[in-house]
Amino acid sequence: MIADDDALSRKVLEDSLLDWGYDVLVTRNGEEAWEALSQPNHPNLIILDWMMPGYDGVDICRMLRRRQGSRYTYVILLTSRDSRKDLVMGLESGVDDYITKPFDPEELKYRLRIGERIVALEERILRMARTDYLTGLLNRRAFMERLEGERNRSIRDGKNLSIVMADIDFFKRVNDLYGHQNGDLVLQEFAKCLREACRQYDFVGRYGGEEFIIGLPGTGLEESKLLAERIRKIIEAHQIKTPDHNTFIQVTSSFGAASIASQSQASYDDLIKSADRALYQAKKDGRNRVAWEATLT
Ligand SMILES: [Mg+2]
């Protein structure tokens, strides 16, 4: 993204960037730039002109750094000031790099490459921090963050939110009988079944050892029960072939479904507790089944 109040400078920048293969979003002042940066999937590599009416480049950078929980945005400050004091002020605001006007296109090109590398690295680290290494699903923390966000959205949109907790029955026996490596294989296959059974906008996490959890936005209890039952049947029928022994492992699983109405005062944490109790009930009633609690209203 470019933010520059000077039409000629904007045009030169845009042409250069398009030439180098970037998709470019052009903004003409600080307000437009901030508006663009407030969108959920805003560009994360930006060139900010320092001197602009309204918010200037340094203001924007400060606001960006103060904001929490959004993706990392690499900022190159474009400035015609070149005294040492100004430079320190620019860097202090949190810019990653700066370039002085009039800029040398080749230099800008390579500085942008550095920015790209940093942004890609940042995203990779974030992805790793959110992912369960064994199954590739969301880890517990990432799942909870997502669930919290979906709960807020369900309140806003006036829609139900449901979750299904799933637990592999007698998983310890799998490890004891077939070894830990095959135990891991069972977890991976189980995760794959969950992912395949879900819709695109559902989200699946590994909650703990052999416990998994599915988030179902915009979904009521009845639909969640049906989904859980469908997965239960898939798992029950699924034969997992071990790579070394040529044997097949079969497992069953228990499910707890819970749902929360949009207008309910209950929190996403209450929803987790409700699903947890339902899962406990499914285990108590003999496993390989789906249990549920009434929708939280
Ligand atoms: Mg300017």
Side-chain angles (χ1 to χ4, degrees):
M1 184 183 100
I2 304 165
D4 197 329
D5 62 319
D6 181 78
L8 181 64
S9 171
R10 261 197 323 263
K11 179 84 179 112
V12 174
L13 277 171
E14 186 182 10
D15 288 350
S16 306
L17 290 170
L18 289 172
D19 221 30
W20 301 329
Y22 290 101
D23 294 322
V24 191
L25 177 65
V26 182
T27 59
R28 296 168 302 176
N29 55 53
E31 277 69 24
E32 274 187 25
W34 186 244
E35 169 67 28
L37 290 169
S38 303
Q39 304 304 314
N41 278 314
H42 64 79
N44 54 2
L45 184 53
I46 62 178
I47 301 173
L48 288 178
D49 182 30
W50 188 333
M51 299 304 281
M52 290 186 286
Y55 300 135
D56 66 22
V58 166
D59 292 334
I60 301 264
C61 192
R62 285 212 181 95
M63 284 150 70
L64 204 55
R65 296 303 183 231
R66 253 200 310 268
R67 200 167 64 181
Q68 301 218 323
S70 55
R71 58 208 294 235
Y72 192 74
T73 307
Y74 190 91
V75 179
I76 298 176
L77 192 67
L78 201 57
T79 170
S80 45
R81 306 181 180 199
D82 49 24
S83 83
R84 192 147 182 91
K85 191 168 145 263
D86 287 341
L87 190 62
V88 169
M89 200 225 269
L91 291 172
E92 181 268 327
S93 75
V95 302
D96 296 281
D97 199 1
Y98 69 95
I99 199 157
T100 42
K101 275 184 185 177
F103 65 90
D104 169 20
E106 280 296 294
E107 188 184 340
L108 179 62
K109 184 175 169 180
Y110 290 106
R111 286 185 187 259
L112 279 168
R113 294 255 173 91
I114 296 171
E116 267 189 275
R117 282 205 299 273
I118 302 278
V119 162
L121 195 64
E122 183 86 18
E123 288 191 342
R124 208 173 125 222
I125 291 169
L126 274 181
R127 203 163 48 240
M128 278 167 66
R130 298 173 52 78
T131 306
D132 173 61
Y133 75 98
L134 185 67
T135 60
L137 300 177
L138 296 176
N139 61 26
R140 184 178 180 144
R141 198 188 58 184
F143 182 91
M144 294 304 279
E145 272 173 22
R146 176 80 189 273
L147 187 66
E148 187 180 6
E150 289 295 344
R151 174 57 187 146
N152 292 334
R153 203 152 71 111
S154 87
I155 293 170
R156 253 194 340 265
D157 298 352
K159 287 184 177 155
N160 282 23
L161 171 67
S162 298
I163 56 171
V164 170
M165 246 185 216
D167 188 275
I168 303 174
D169 297 328
F170 303 112
F171 183 68
K172 195 178 169 305
R173 279 191 206 163
V174 175
N175 277 331
D176 291 347
L177 277 170
Y178 303 100
H180 283 276
Q181 258 179 354
N182 287 321
D184 284 353
L185 180 70
V186 169
L187 292 172
Q188 285 168 328
E189 288 284 320
F190 192 85
K192 205 169 129 212
C193 288
L194 289 187
R195 222 175 7 226
E196 283 170 4
C198 286
R199 302 159 301 183
Q200 190 123 50
Y201 43 90
D202 298 334
F203 51 105
V204 190
R206 185 171 173 204
Y207 198 64
E210 68 270 25
E211 209 170 358
F212 296 83
I213 186 163
I214 307 167
L216 305 154
T219 306
L221 185 63
E222 287 310 310
E223 240 183 295
S224 317
K225 281 155 61 180
L226 288 175
L227 176 77
E229 180 58 23
R230 198 167 80 233
I231 298 171
R232 190 196 64 74
K233 282 186 182 144
I234 291 170
I235 298 293
E236 189 180 36
H238 190 52
Q239 299 199 320
I240 301 164
K241 192 179 177 184
T242 63
D244 41 352
H245 292 101
N246 240 17
T247 50
F248 291 94
I249 306 174
Q250 267 183 292
V251 293
T252 61
S253 46
S254 304
F255 298 82
S259 190
I260 189 167
S262 169
Q263 76 282 359
S264 167
Q265 295 295 313
S267 69
Y268 69 97
D269 205 41
D270 298 321
L271 183 62
I272 294 274
K273 284 181 186 139
S274 175
D276 213 21
R277 284 191 300 265
L279 176 59
Y280 179 76
Q281 193 61 43
K283 293 275 179 192
K284 217 174 104 184
D285 291 345
R287 296 183 169 84
N288 192 20
R289 68 192 62 222
V290 178
W292 57 88
E293 283 203 338
T295 300
L296 301 168
T297 54

